[in-house]
């Protein structure tokens, strides 16, 4: 299943093609510029890089992770604390 960002970009492209076709039919001119604003959505990576995630660390043993799946330290079970780097 495509992400919501991809689905939005595809719908935007289809709508812009439809608008371009209507403008072509009505004014006899091609409006390709309507496609350009949606192209970056298709080729953009994740909206949030792993480097933007805060580091979460164990105050007891020093275990660190950026993975949001960890709430507790896998070594000793202590709750992880957020640290900005």
């Amino acid at each position: 299943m495509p992400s919501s960002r991809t689905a939005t970009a595809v719908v935007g492209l289809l709508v812009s093609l439809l608008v371009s076709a209507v403008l072509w039919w009505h004014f006899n001119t091609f409006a390709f510029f309507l496609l350009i604003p949606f192209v970056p959505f298709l080729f953009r990576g994740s909206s949030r890089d792993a480097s933007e995630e805060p580091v979460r660390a164990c105050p007891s043993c020093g275990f660190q992770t950026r993975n949001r799946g960890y709430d507790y330290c896998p070594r000793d079970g202590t709750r992880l604390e957020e640290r900005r780097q």
Side-chain angles (χ1 to χ4, degrees), residues 18-30:
L18 178 66
V19 170
S20 295
V22 168
L23 290 174
W24 174 265
W25 176 75
H26 189 67
F27 295 111
N28 254 355
T29 187
F30 186 64

Side-chain angles (χ1 to χ4, degrees), residues 11-44:
V11 169
L13 284 171
L14 293 175
V15 168
S16 69
L17 285 173
L18 178 66
V19 170
S20 295
V22 168
L23 290 174
W24 174 265
W25 176 75
H26 189 67
F27 295 111
N28 254 355
T29 187
F30 186 64
F32 179 73
F33 66 89
L34 293 175
L35 294 175
I36 295 173
F38 297 105
V39 172
F41 287 111
L42 295 176
F43 301 108
R44 201 165 76 178

Side-chain angles (χ1 to χ4, degrees), residues 56-65 67 69-83:
R56 300 172 69 208
C58 175
S60 300
C61 70
F63 170 79
Q64 294 184 353
T65 185
N67 186 344
Y70 288 99
D71 287 329
Y72 296 91
C73 178
R75 296 178 185 157
D76 61 12
T78 307
R79 185 157 184 86
L80 299 178
E81 299 174 349
E82 279 192 12
R83 295 183 186 163

